[in-house]
Amino acid sequence: GAGVSQSPSNKVTEKGKDVELRCDPISGHTALYWYRQSLGQGLEFLIYFQGNSAPDKSGLPSDRFSAERTGGSVSTLTIQRTQQEDSAVYLCASSSDTSYGYTFGSGTRLTVV
Amino acid sequence: AQSVSQHNHHVILSEAASLELGCNYSYGGTVNLFWYVQYPGQHLQLLLKYFSGDPLVKGIKGFEAEFIKSKFSFNLRKPSVQWSDTAEYFCAVLSGTYKYIFGTGTRLKVLA
């Protein structure tokens, strides 16, 4: 597609439930990132995928968080047993050349109640 | 650890006022620096970037930023803001080859 597509745009879930967030990057972009944007916290790096290389998962805050990227394209971020502190906007970005910047999606606003 | 500081969290200006948003980074290596903008209800967009060469970088919509290596700064400027510049602005540094470190953002409100 023309841009990075994320779904759903909004998700309200009960504490303890699992959620899946989807990212469809720009076609041909080999690099894919997940960031988390919390109020007053800026953007927090979560995970990075590059082609077929092992992902950099160093930013995942706990083992409740996981992500995969199938076929080098679509990525899914899964949060298990959600907690209220997981409430944030989850942003996906892709890039063909990381030194030139990312293209961001519109994000998924997750609210855990 | 690398970090990016944006000291102005909220800025309110009248139209036609001049803008300068501060950004300081902590990173010892070669830096690639960026400013991103997020307009209300929209996704983050790249405003401008610095890799090397001329430390004064011009971006879209009349914005510019100056890289001052001795001050570890990359401040964003615009001579005359418009109401449509109301947005949140993020400074970022490329840490290593692929990871970006973002500042906490500055919310700019321009009064018509």
Side-chain angles (χ1 to χ4, degrees):
Chain A
V4 178
S5 178
Q6 290 188 247
S7 61
S9 55
N10 281 284
K11 176 73 176 178
V12 180
T13 190
E14 292 181 351
K15 179 180 172 182
K17 300 279 189 182
D18 298 351
V19 294
E20 281 191 355
L21 312 180
R22 177 189 167 103
C23 172
D24 200 344
I26 291 174
S27 178
H29 280 192
T30 57
L32 186 148
Y33 306 78
W34 284 96
Y35 278 80
R36 179 166 69 174
Q37 185 178 18
S38 304
L39 192 62
Q41 298 296 316
L43 278 77
E44 176 188 4
F45 169 81
L46 297 178
I47 190 168
Y48 163 73
F49 295 92
Q50 173 61 275
N52 295 320
S53 303
D56 177 354
K57 304 179 182 180
S58 61
L60 295 178
S62 77
D63 58 9
R64 296 186 295 104
F65 287 72
S66 62
E68 61 179 25
R69 188 179 185 190
T70 54
S73 181
V74 172
S75 177
T76 302
L77 177 68
T78 301
I79 308 173
Q80 295 178 311
R81 305 181 302 281
T82 52
Q83 304 294 314
Q84 287 186 327
E85 60 263 28
D86 299 335
S87 295
V89 176
Y90 289 81
L91 294 170
C92 178
S94 71
S95 176
S96 58
D97 183 334
T98 55
S99 60
Y100 284 85
Y102 304 158
T103 300
F104 280 90
S106 299
T108 294
R109 181 175 297 278
L110 175 67
T111 304
V112 182
V113 297
Chain B
Q2 296 90 12
S3 64
V4 175
S5 297
Q6 293 181 245
H7 304 294
N8 312 106
H9 299 296
H10 292 89
V11 173
I12 300 175
L13 295 172
S14 298
E15 274 195 317
S18 64
L19 170 72
E20 181 160 3
L21 302 183
C23 173
N24 289 93
Y25 63 92
S26 167
Y27 185 62
T30 301
V31 287
N32 289 2
L33 295 157
F34 303 81
W35 276 96
Y36 282 83
V37 59
Q38 188 171 30
Y39 297 103
Q42 296 187 28
H43 60 273
L44 278 156
Q45 302 171 43
L46 182 64
L47 199 54
L48 50 77
K49 55 185 180 278
Y50 170 80
F51 296 146
S52 62
D54 189 344
L56 185 62
V57 179
K58 295 192 182 297
I60 60 172
K61 303 185 181 184
F63 285 90
E64 64 179 32
E66 185 174 12
F67 169 56
I68 302 179
K69 188 175 181 179
S70 61
K71 295 185 178 180
F72 297 90
S73 70
F74 190 56
N75 292 355
L76 181 70
R77 300 195 295 246
K78 186 170 184 179
S80 176
V81 294
Q82 301 173 309
W83 177 80
S84 58
D85 293 324
T86 294
E88 190 161 14
Y89 294 81
F90 292 89
C91 183
V93 62
L94 179 61
S95 172
T97 59
Y98 59 81
K99 188 186 297 184
Y100 285 69
I101 308 296
F102 285 85
T104 53
T106 297
R107 292 193 175 210
L108 171 66
K109 183 169 184 176
V110 180
L111 304 175

